[in-house]
Amino acid sequence: MAAAPDWLEKIYAAAARQSISLEQGEYKLLGSSGERLVAYQINLPIKGSDLQIRNFAAEVLNSVPVAALEDISFQRPAIGGSAVEAKVRLMLYLRVD
């Protein structure tokens, strides 16, 4: 589980490179004691352009080999606007030693 902060740092760096601010997320450890593999669920609300959000997701999947994109949803608050609100759910699969 010691690697989780390192992987989170890569996720935050990917957001920064796309000029996306990760203000408030939900983080949940899934799994029970005694298991050798645990899942770390990350729910992130993101605002930006659809291109920024897609590039962020692609970069995370390329740079964090323990990550899986579980869900992503987009909502455009204003018709014709370029800003998009997205909800991204990532899973990190981590070995417990």
Side-chain angles (χ1 to χ4, degrees):
M1 184 72 180
D6 297 328
W7 297 125
L8 289 172
E9 197 172 300
K10 288 184 179 278
I11 292 169
Y12 298 141
R17 279 191 286 281
Q18 294 302 320
S19 301
I20 292 174
S21 169
L22 300 179
E23 295 175 13
Q24 180 179 352
E26 292 180 17
Y27 304 86
K28 186 187 312 182
L29 186 62
L30 307 173
S32 59
S33 62
E35 293 184 16
R36 297 194 40 84
L37 184 69
V38 295
Y40 193 57
Q41 185 181 66
I42 305 167
N43 293 301
L44 300 170
I46 299 174
K47 292 181 184 177
S49 71
D50 56 347
L51 181 60
Q52 287 172 307
I53 296 167
R54 286 184 292 148
N55 287 343
F56 163 73
E59 185 174 341
V60 168
L61 294 175
N62 284 323
S63 63
V64 181
V66 299
L69 179 62
E70 188 167 89
D71 188 40
I72 188 167
S73 63
F74 293 88
Q75 181 178 8
R76 189 174 309 274
I79 296 173
S82 62
V84 174
E85 295 176 0
K87 293 180 182 174
V88 176
R89 182 180 315 131
L90 298 167
M91 296 293 280
L92 299 183
Y93 293 97
L94 306 168
R95 283 182 33 164
V96 178
D97 294 324

